[in-house]
Amino acid sequence: MLTSVVAGFSLSIALIVAIGAQNAFVLRQGLRREHVVPVVLTCAISDALLIGVGIAGVGSMVAARPDLLTAIRWGGAAFLLGYAALAARRAWRPSALTPAQRPPARLGATLLACLAFTYLNPHVYLDTVLLLGGIAQQQPHRWLFGLGAAVASVVWFSALGAGAYRLAPMLARARVWQVLDGVIALVMVVVAVALLLG
């Protein structure tokens, strides 16, 4: 039983650590010290839900619908390119990036953005619903495998949010935010292009 939990944790952490749209969003919120706990909880709960859906067998049904996968891929790429444009705009105007000069975003708007990064990102479905769900079917204790995968999500997002929070004093300079938003814009474009080509 413990082997299934460890296998789920290991595979999930390997998939989730890659820098992507969701991770970049959590990092930015952590750096701004803005609604970090609700964002981390939203990401972790969403991952657990999607992992559960995949383990329940929905992943195999989605994989059988190539038209649905195509729609998810194009919609996700459009969303990521839109966010890349916003990040590039912030990088172009770094004076607007210092958190002290900006009023904090409302919790509702922040959580809506977080949900969009989670559920409009096709990689989330590919990694959690299809891949983790498919591998779980071959485990002797598939739900324990899912538990391990969900715990990995909680650990990662908590570490990312808290770690960014600790770096915030160093990142109070507008130039650093400019570079960060430039990198985020580049990552979003790369992920979007990979989706469109894949």
Side-chain angles (χ1 to χ4, degrees), residues 16-56:
I16 204 170
V17 165
I19 295 176
Q22 192 182 41
N23 284 341
F25 181 76
V26 174
L27 179 64
R28 182 170 176 79
Q29 291 306 120
L31 292 173
R32 295 192 69 208
R33 302 182 181 192
E34 192 173 86
H35 309 305
V36 178
V37 172
V39 165
V40 166
L41 286 174
T42 300
C43 291
I45 290 169
S46 295
D47 271 11
L49 175 66
L50 291 169
I51 290 165
V53 165
I55 292 172

Side-chain angles (χ1 to χ4, degrees), residues 68-81 120 122 195-197:
L68 181 58
L69 287 175
T70 300
I72 291 171
R73 188 176 77 222
W74 281 88
F79 173 76
L80 293 174
L81 288 172
L120 295 180
L195 284 173
L196 293 175
L197 296 178

Side-chain angles (χ1 to χ4, degrees), residues 71-126:
I72 291 171
R73 188 176 77 222
W74 281 88
F79 173 76
L80 293 174
L81 288 172
Y83 190 77
L86 292 175
R89 182 179 175 202
R90 288 192 306 264
W92 189 258
R93 299 168 56 190
S95 61
L97 296 173
T98 304
Q101 295 178 349
R102 297 179 58 182
R106 286 183 289 183
L107 176 60
T110 300
L111 291 181
L112 279 176
C114 184
L115 290 170
F117 277 113
T118 301
Y119 292 100
L120 295 180
N121 183 357
H123 279 297
V124 171
Y125 296 99
L126 295 174

Side-chain angles (χ1 to χ4, degrees), residues 122-178:
H123 279 297
V124 171
Y125 296 99
L126 295 174
D127 290 347
T128 57
V129 177
L130 299 178
L131 183 59
L132 287 173
I135 292 173
Q137 303 304 324
Q138 294 155 32
Q139 296 291 318
H141 304 283
R142 61 182 178 154
W143 289 106
L144 288 177
F145 176 89
L147 175 65
V151 168
S153 180
V154 171
V155 169
W156 171 251
F157 287 121
S158 298
L160 188 61
Y165 182 86
R166 296 197 189 292
L167 293 174
M170 182 190 79
L171 297 169
R173 297 187 304 269
R175 175 67 178 160
V176 176
W177 279 97
Q178 183 180 32

